[in-house]
Amino acid sequence: MDRTEPRVKPPHIGIIGAGVSGLQCANILLEQGFRVTILEARDRVGGRICQSDKLGYTVDLGPNWIHASDGPEVNPMLRIATQTSTPLHRWNDKQLIFDSHGQPIDENISDRLSTILWDVIEEAFSFSSAAGEEGNPDIDANMSLHDYIKLKAVEKLPSEDERAMLLRMSEMFGAYIGEPIHRQSLKFAWMEECCGGDELFVESNYSSILEAVAKPALSHANIKLDTYVERIHATEGGSSQKQVELTTKQGELFHFDEVVVSAPLGWLKKHHDAFDPKLPPPILSAISNIGLSQLEKVFITFPTAFWNDELDKDNSICFANWLTPDYTPDTNPSGWPQEIWNLASFREPNRHPTLLFYTYGDCSRHIVNSIKDMSPEDEFRFLNQFFLPHYSRLPGFAKELPDCQPRRILASKWLLDELNGNASYCNFPVGITNADQDVLAFREGCPDRHLWFCGEHAAPFDECGTAAGAYLSGEHAGKAIVARYQNSQAGPAA
């Protein structure tokens, strides 16, 4: 740099939200010499990556999985997990599936039907993307993934009983998308394809991954916690002065050259009127069209893992599924299916006698709404009564044994989280007609207003709804801003 030239003050970028997308966006900008201020409404960084110690050890309330079909070269969460020596778990194939009457299905039958089911889902991904990334134009927007599986069941299974069983088993896909499979768009099933690759589970928790992502921003950005942005004023064009004004709930004013909005889609749905002037039609359509899921977790920990094979823990069940139960008329009259993952399958020191139930859709909403005002004792009692009909069918259970009595129960409550829009993450519901264009609208942002978006709803197509997708979307927004200034005369100071 010519020291006789006046030093150019680096552009000042504001980022709303310190989740993984906002943090990675900040990292990209800081590397290129930009000034960065992050305004975060919570009292911590991480957003949906967060933990609880209420079981006596640390568990993730947000993401547990890394969908890593493309390997660490492509998937940033897998790369960072490897770099931080975060222990990852590959589940064995041992599963236990109960029919609607609560009886275990023969292992040979359940394995064969599971293979057929996943083959059909993979076929649906391919069929929906037959015309390329834009999706198959011949698919009716009102057709669901469940509809496709029903058609394929007729082709692949001559037995009506097995077809019915396959359709009941297909409901487990709801735990991936956070809503029942009959609400999942077939036309845009290809945008859920990350669910069909290599599935890794974080044995410990995401804290080391988050620490690695957050470290540059914590060291070099100005991060203001407990700072809720309630108004975003961004006009088109204008002078060379700072373009975007943010007003916080506390009445503070901030001015930035560019602003990146990493607030969750659920928050945007509830607060799209926080933008002045209102957002352009493509962004408003994207906010309206892309769906939201309701995925919740319930951890139930026992004195010992009574369901495990004590002689061969590595051969113990990894997964159990209870199909549309008809034996829960009082606790679950709607017959919502249930599933668990066996956290006692892990290696030491992360092996715990804990069952992790994933609930989704209306079942999640029922549970959280039921317990939201309860005392801890009543919440424990309600949750145990709800899940007892299911875990009591696991091998080794006897109601009189102390080892079969839960010690602690922990339930996530994203439905009550206003900052997350009272939901979990994005999905693509039946009826959506241009999901790919909606995501691209977020990724393009509003550069004429110096306004950008990132988050799992603005991710690359094959990573929408994932932590990796959120990270990559933040990287994309950061690089777009860097490119803007590299292509102008007013880049960051050297």
Side-chain angles (χ1 to χ4, degrees):
M1 178 176 179
D2 186 348
R3 297 298 175 185
T4 63
E5 295 179 3
R7 182 177 176 87
V8 179
K9 192 174 184 180
H12 190 187
I13 314 302
I15 299 176
I16 301 173
V20 68
S21 61
L23 292 169
Q24 179 58 10
C25 182
N27 296 344
I28 295 296
L29 295 166
L30 291 166
E31 285 177 359
Q32 298 299 319
F34 290 80
R35 294 171 61 211
V36 176
T37 295
I38 303 177
L39 307 180
E40 168 56 56
R42 301 185 193 273
D43 60 359
R44 58 172 178 82
V45 303
R48 279 165 279 190
I49 297 181
C50 62
Q51 292 80 37
S52 171
D53 299 322
K54 290 183 179 179
L55 293 177
Y57 66 96
T58 305
V59 295
D60 284 309
L61 295 177
N64 298 117
W65 297 83
I66 295 177
H67 307 284
S69 56
D70 294 325
E73 301 81 9
V74 175
N75 189 292
M77 294 296 105
L78 180 54
R79 183 180 69 248
I80 298 168
T82 302
Q83 292 169 347
T84 57
S85 300
T86 297
L88 303 176
H89 187 78
R90 280 182 169 84
W91 301 96
N92 64 37
D93 295 327
K94 192 169 179 62
Q95 61 182 357
L96 184 58
I97 299 181
F98 297 86
D99 65 20
S100 294
H101 307 304
Q103 299 302 311
I105 299 171
D106 179 86
E107 186 176 340
N108 292 324
I109 295 175
S110 65
D111 287 350
R112 178 169 58 84
L113 292 180
S114 291
T115 299
I116 292 172
L117 175 61
W118 278 107
D119 286 346
V120 170
I121 290 173
E122 291 286 352
E123 289 175 25
F125 292 155
S126 298
F127 175 64
S128 68
S129 62
E133 282 196 340
E134 296 78 18
N136 191 331
D138 297 326
I139 298 176
D140 186 333
N142 293 312
M143 192 171 183
S144 71
L145 180 55
H146 186 264
D147 293 331
Y148 183 85
I149 295 172
K150 186 184 295 185
L151 291 172
K152 289 297 177 179
V154 174
E155 291 181 16
K156 296 177 182 291
L157 295 169
S159 164
E160 287 191 17
D161 288 343
E162 289 197 340
R163 291 177 202 163
M165 183 77 68
L166 186 79
L167 289 172
R168 287 194 292 271
M169 291 174 64
S170 74
E171 293 292 342
M172 54 78 66
F173 198 71
Y176 285 90
I177 58 176
E179 291 292 335
I181 192 170
H182 63 265
R183 298 181 190 170
Q184 166 64 42
S185 165
L186 173 63
K187 189 177 183 70
F188 293 99
W190 60 275
M191 294 177 70
E192 301 284 1
E193 193 164 5
C194 65
C195 301
D198 193 12
E199 303 286 338
L200 302 172
F201 194 98
V202 176
E203 278 194 356
S204 53
N205 56 76
Y206 257 82
S207 58
S208 294
I209 297 173
L210 175 60
E211 182 180 349
V213 175
K215 184 176 180 180
L218 289 172
S219 300
H220 302 293
N222 178 22
I223 301 180
K224 297 181 69 66
L225 301 177
D226 297 307
T227 304
Y228 186 110
V229 175
E230 63 177 9
R231 182 176 175 275
I232 301 156
H233 180 65
T235 56
E236 296 181 16
S239 69
S240 61
Q241 301 301 310
K242 290 181 172 57
Q243 304 290 332
V244 188
E245 179 182 86
L246 303 183
T247 307
T248 71
K249 189 171 286 188
Q250 296 89 342
E252 296 176 280
L253 291 179
F254 293 88
H255 296 88
F256 298 104
D257 296 293
E258 315 279 338
V259 163
V260 181
V261 181
S262 75
L265 175 63
W267 188 90
L268 292 174
K269 282 181 178 289
K270 290 177 177 290
H271 300 285
H272 58 83
D273 57 354
F275 294 85
D276 175 33
K278 70 179 183 179
L279 291 167
I283 300 288
L284 287 174
S285 293
I287 292 172
S288 174
N289 296 339
I290 299 175
L292 284 175
S293 69
Q294 199 66 58
L295 184 75
E296 303 286 359
K297 304 173 185 181
V298 179
F299 298 85
I300 305 182
T301 190
F302 296 82
T304 64
F306 64 82
W307 56 89
N308 261 17
D309 182 343
E310 290 305 313
L311 297 177
D312 185 6
K313 287 187 173 67
D314 292 335
N315 194 41
S316 296
I317 61 169
C318 72
F319 165 84
N321 185 210
W322 293 264
L323 306 178
T324 53
D326 64 7
Y327 46 87
T328 55
D330 297 326
T331 56
N332 181 9
S334 297
W336 294 306
Q338 304 299 323
E339 72 168 54
I340 56 109
W341 294 87
N342 175 18
L343 305 193
S345 297
F346 297 163
R347 298 158 293 184
E348 297 292 354
N350 298 304
R351 176 178 285 160
H352 299 285
T354 301
L355 301 174
L356 170 54
F357 282 85
Y358 284 102
T359 68
Y360 59 86
D362 291 337
C363 182
S364 288
R365 287 181 275 270
H366 166 73
I367 289 174
V368 177
N369 280 323
S370 296
I371 65 177
K372 65 181 180 180
D373 296 320
M374 286 184 178
S375 68
E377 295 77 15
D378 287 342
E379 179 178 321
F380 180 100
R381 189 177 303 109
F382 174 90
L383 293 170
N384 190 40
Q385 288 175 347
F386 188 92
F387 292 104
L388 174 62
H390 308 294
Y391 72 71
S392 63
R393 284 170 163 76
L394 294 174
F397 179 86
K399 63 188 288 187
E400 69 276 5
L401 294 179
D403 283 350
C404 299
Q405 307 303 314
R407 293 173 55 195
R408 291 174 179 160
I409 303 179
L410 170 66
S412 68
K413 296 170 182 146
W414 292 107
L415 180 67
L416 307 181
D417 191 319
E418 194 275 336
L419 293 177
N420 211 47
N422 308 100
S424 300
Y425 48 82
C426 75
N427 63 14
F428 306 103
V430 168
I432 193 168
T433 56
N434 294 293
D436 52 340
Q437 297 304 310
D438 290 328
V439 171
L440 288 175
F442 278 127
R443 289 178 67 78
E444 182 179 343
C446 305
D448 55 334
R449 300 188 189 187
H450 305 267
L451 195 61
W452 312 82
F453 294 85
C454 61
E456 44 87 19
H457 52 285
F461 289 143
D462 57 350
E463 285 290 354
C464 286
T466 70
Y471 178 101
L472 291 169
S473 75
E475 198 165 87
H476 173 82
K479 288 180 177 179
I481 293 173
V482 170
R484 155 172 275 197
Y485 284 86
Q486 285 178 341
N487 294 331
S488 72
Q489 297 299 314

